Amino acid sequence: VNANTDDGSCTFSISIGDTHQGGIIFWLDVSGGHGLIAAPIDQSTGAEWGCLPILISGADGIAIGTGNQNTIDIEAECSASGTAADICANLTLEGYSDWFLPSKDELNEMYLNKNTIGGFGLAPYWSSSEETNFIAVFQDFFDGG
């Protein structure tokens, strides 16, 4: 904390499954310098995705790194409260309020690491990725489908 020179003597190592910034790390980039964090417990059961059958402009990102923008786009065009995206966008845990509904690929990383990070039920979870005005992507945490 008090370092004023990067001489390599201070290191900060994080791993998938570690508790960090209000949640649990489920993905790290190859450098280990950037990652994604899941909330430690489910925030809702049975929440609807959003405002289907409205096609949300911009909520079609599927790659890692697109979930936040998808969530912003959903919130901008869907004023319904209590939806999956709304719950994430308005969540604060341990002082951190930058939560979002994960994209399809981000959600798949959560599934792949579900045993390491824990806290998931064996139910389907919504992603923020919308395919059509009638279809949003979810992933079943029982079998990965």
Side-chain angles (χ1 to χ4, degrees):
V1 172
N2 296 320
N4 57 20
T5 304
D6 184 5
D7 62 5
S9 63
C10 299
T11 60
F12 182 69
S13 177
I14 56 175
S15 300
I16 292 174
D18 288 353
T19 300
H20 189 66
Q21 296 184 348
I24 302 168
I25 298 169
F26 71 88
W27 177 84
L28 292 168
D29 68 4
V30 293
S31 73
H34 294 80
L36 294 172
I37 299 169
I41 59 170
D42 285 350
Q43 301 303 307
S44 170
T45 56
E48 293 185 18
W49 178 81
C51 292
L52 294 174
I54 297 171
L55 183 62
I56 305 292
S57 177
D60 57 355
I62 62 171
I64 291 175
T66 60
N68 187 44
Q69 187 59 54
N70 286 350
T71 303
I72 290 168
D73 294 337
I74 295 165
E75 285 287 279
E77 292 191 36
C78 177
S79 61
S81 63
T83 64
D86 186 63
I87 290 167
C88 293
N90 292 296
L91 181 63
T92 300
L93 293 174
E94 295 185 25
Y96 293 93
S97 58
D98 56 348
W99 299 95
F100 57 88
L101 191 62
S103 70
K104 177 184 178 225
D105 290 352
E106 291 164 346
L107 184 61
N108 188 58
E109 286 293 322
M110 287 182 191
Y111 172 76
L112 294 174
N113 290 302
K114 71 178 184 173
N115 293 332
T116 303
I117 58 179
F120 294 102
L122 298 178
Y125 287 86
W126 286 118
S127 80
S128 60
S129 305
E130 184 181 40
E131 290 187 355
T132 72
N133 58 326
F134 289 100
I135 300 172
V137 179
F138 68 88
Q139 186 158 8
D140 190 325
F141 272 52
F142 175 72
D143 64 7

